[in-house]
Amino acid sequence: MNNQCGTSPIVGFRFTLSPMTSDFVSVIKGALKETNLQNVWRHTDDVSTVIRGRSEHVFDVAKAVLSHATKTGEHVSMSGTFSVGCPGDTAGDNLLDVTTDPVNGPVSTQYVSSQFALYPLGDAKYMDIIYEEIAFAKERGVFNDSMHYASGIHGDIEPVFSFYEATFDRVRAKTSHVVMTVTFSVNSPSHEGRNDA
Amino acid sequence: MNNQCGTSPIVGFRFTLSPMTSDFVSVIKGALKETNLQNVWRHTDDVSTVIRGRSEHVFDVAKAVLSHATKTGEHVSMSGTFSVGCPGDTAGDNLLDVTTDPVNGPVSTQYVSSQFALYPLGDAKYMDIIYEEIAFAKERGVFNDSMHYASGIHGDIEPVFSFYEATFDRVRAKTSHVVMTVTFSVNSPSHEGRNDA
């Protein structure tokens, strides 16, 4: 049992967006500017950006930022950590009242290759929880590959994000402090021409 | 107690190196080529690279890759996860016999800003362990900032990596399955001219 964490349902995503172009500043700033951030709390520093709010708004914003950053065709990586149940989490709690639909909504078709790992903290049965979610990824049709320390998830950006939101919510229903690391890679020359799942 | 994980001491680091330049392919390939990888097992796919071996060789290689990728002055991010004690970990176990000194050794001076999070899995007292390591970072003089879901660590690349290796080894002495996420940012315009700790 996890007994040291808060019970706030606020979800956070701390991420580093890395456009692999000399014009990286305008791609990052442009992606954040084009995304509707009204339903999340946001802070950017010299290493990463964090957004916090209700789960549906955090995933909506994460997907929109990645979509806006990659629609130019530039190779972009986005590495980050989704978290819920961290002790002492309160800043941004007012945004938990925002129960409207996600404001960014569906994005353009885009092949996304990614890798994720789930860490249910403070739960002795955490490996069982992880194996259940890998099976869930296979059911959803987005599972790509098994590998050391991660699982590969790929396909169009919409079903990929839909899977991540669903699996994160499934795990937080079982354990109070959940961490999910994800690295997205888009427009990579290493994708070998794949553009669908 | 953590009872579902292996006892293999093999350490892994899965990372995504993102040079923010249109010439990203040559920076990534060049950094890997210039690094002596003889003491680690390595695999690269379309999202990330994983290296595995003894702790001292994994940290030695990680530091050398980051150093080679950033010495050109390009803005580079490296996001990754150090892991030990994952169930089923065996590939590369032959490299555990490599007890020589790290072959890459000290690298050139380079200001590094980074953020890390520690996740001791399957241990109900994991928050106590995390707080001890944040205190340790302050003792080492590399602590920069507290933030949601991470702690900021910065300074010259040598003391920064020395801290990460030490803190990872301290935590694995207490719990068998340890995950440490780190995002490094080098040569960023957002560092505001800082070039030392």
Side-chain angles (χ1 to χ4, degrees), chain B residues 35-67:
Chain B
T35 301
N36 186 328
L37 298 158
Q38 71 182 45
N39 292 339
V40 297
W41 178 92
R42 176 173 77 101
H43 180 73
T44 297
D45 60 37
D46 67 326
V47 177
S48 63
T49 291
V50 61
I51 53 174
R52 307 177 75 240
R54 292 177 65 94
S55 182
E56 61 267 35
H57 297 307
V58 167
F59 281 93
D60 172 68
V61 166
K63 183 180 65 179
V65 168
L66 184 62
S67 175

Side-chain angles (χ1 to χ4, degrees), chain A residues 1-5 10-14 16-22 24-25 28 41 45-48 50-52 75 77 79 81 83-84 86-87 89-91 111 113-115 119-128 131 144 147-150 177 179 181 183-185 188-191 194, chain B residues 1-5 10-14 16-22 24-25 28 41 45-48 50-52 75 77 79 81 83-84 86-87 89-91 111 113-115 119-128 131 144 147-150 177 179 181 183-185 188-191 194:
Chain A
M1 263 304 286
N2 186 330
N3 57 8
Q4 294 187 71
C5 280
I10 198 161
V11 170
F13 180 46
R14 178 174 289 284
T16 296
L17 185 68
S18 306
M20 284 173 244
T21 164
S22 307
F24 64 91
V25 174
I28 295 170
W41 178 92
D45 59 37
D46 67 326
V47 177
S48 63
V50 61
I51 53 174
R52 309 178 74 241
H75 177 28
S77 74
S79 282
T81 301
S83 302
V84 69
C86 271
D89 259 5
T90 53
Y111 175 77
S113 187
S114 68
Q115 294 172 354
Y119 304 112
L121 275 296
D123 190 324
K125 293 187 193 294
Y126 68 99
M127 287 305 305
D128 297 337
Y131 293 137
N144 187 20
M147 60 197 70
H148 287 295
Y149 318 117
H177 188 181
V179 166
T181 60
T183 295
F184 300 93
S185 177
S188 168
S190 303
H191 293 154
R194 289 180 300 185
Chain B
M1 262 306 284
N2 186 331
N3 54 10
Q4 296 186 68
C5 280
I10 197 162
V11 169
F13 180 46
R14 177 174 290 283
T16 296
L17 185 68
S18 306
M20 284 173 243
T21 163
S22 306
F24 64 91
V25 174
I28 295 171
W41 178 92
D45 60 37
D46 67 326
V47 177
S48 63
V50 61
I51 53 174
R52 307 177 75 240
H75 177 27
S77 75
S79 282
T81 301
S83 301
V84 69
C86 271
D89 259 5
T90 52
Y111 175 76
S113 188
S114 68
Q115 294 171 354
Y119 304 113
L121 275 296
D123 190 323
K125 293 187 192 294
Y126 68 99
M127 288 306 305
D128 297 337
Y131 292 136
N144 187 19
M147 59 197 71
H148 287 295
Y149 317 118
H177 188 179
V179 167
T181 60
T183 295
F184 300 94
S185 177
S188 168
S190 303
H191 293 155
R194 287 180 301 184

